[in-house]
Amino acid sequence: MRHVIALDVGGTAIKAALIGPDHELLHEARRPTGREQGPEAVVAGILEFAAELAAAGEAAYGEPAAAAGLAVPGIVDAAAGTAVYAANLGWRDVPLRDLLSRRLGGTPVALGHDVRTGGLAEGRLGAGEGADRFLFVALGTGIAGAIGIDGRIEAGAHGCAGEIGHIAVRPGPAGRPCGCG
């Protein structure tokens, strides 16, 4: 059965799924991001998780995934396939699209900003479907939003739209509220 791999990397957890042709949920999984182990470990964890999903999908559905989608927080250069910066994960200029495609044996990979990607999905398949304008706000480790306009998500002047801010729920190490200080 034709399917794709979907991964949503957050500050505390990675959510993943295998999705079928009619947007049907075939399999879902979740695991900690492991950010306390450092940025290299987070990247390695993402790649390993995706490889496990790929193997499970091929075993269950008799063919490899047609593609993979990876949504990450922070500043993302989707065109270049690079996770430019993520305060909560500590990475800079990570070529995630290429790393994941190589790990999956050449499977095509799309990389996007987590909340702009979520907003796009909400606009096409969820509560924003059919609306010419909407605002999608996600509350997680940080706060981010996506503005939907005429079927697309506004990327902003420099591709950084959506990063609204952080709210300290409990102070982090040394009393700092979050990774960006």
Side-chain angles (χ1 to χ4, degrees):
M1 169 190 283
R2 190 168 168 86
H3 63 281
V4 297
I5 298 167
L7 293 139
D8 176 14
V9 179
T12 56
I14 304 171
K15 285 87 56 194
L18 298 176
I19 306 295
D22 293 320
H23 308 121
E24 64 209 89
L25 178 62
L26 303 173
H27 173 78
E28 64 183 323
R30 179 184 186 111
R31 65 175 53 163
T33 302
R35 67 182 174 162
E36 66 283 348
Q37 298 169 6
E40 294 82 12
V42 171
V43 172
I46 293 166
L47 300 178
E48 182 60 30
F49 196 9
E52 291 171 15
L53 289 162
E58 190 162 357
Y61 305 110
E63 63 183 273
L70 175 60
V72 299
I75 300 170
V76 177
D77 182 342
T82 303
V84 177
Y85 175 71
N88 289 328
L89 299 177
W91 62 39
R92 289 185 181 272
D93 301 317
V94 180
L96 277 173
R97 182 182 61 204
D98 292 343
L99 290 171
L100 185 54
S101 181
R102 276 197 299 271
R103 182 62 182 263
L104 297 177
T107 298
V109 173
L111 174 70
H113 178 267
D114 57 353
V115 175
R116 288 196 306 267
T117 300
L120 181 63
E122 193 67 35
R124 292 190 178 169
L125 304 169
E129 185 177 10
D132 65 342
R133 305 265 191 286
F134 67 89
L135 174 64
F136 174 84
V137 178
L139 306 174
T141 304
I143 302 171
I147 300 170
I149 303 170
D150 295 330
R152 65 177 181 76
I153 297 297
E154 177 59 44
H158 305 287
C160 301
E163 293 299 308
I164 296 172
H166 303 278
I167 292 178
V169 176
R170 80 172 185 239
R176 291 177 42 190
C178 66
C180 66

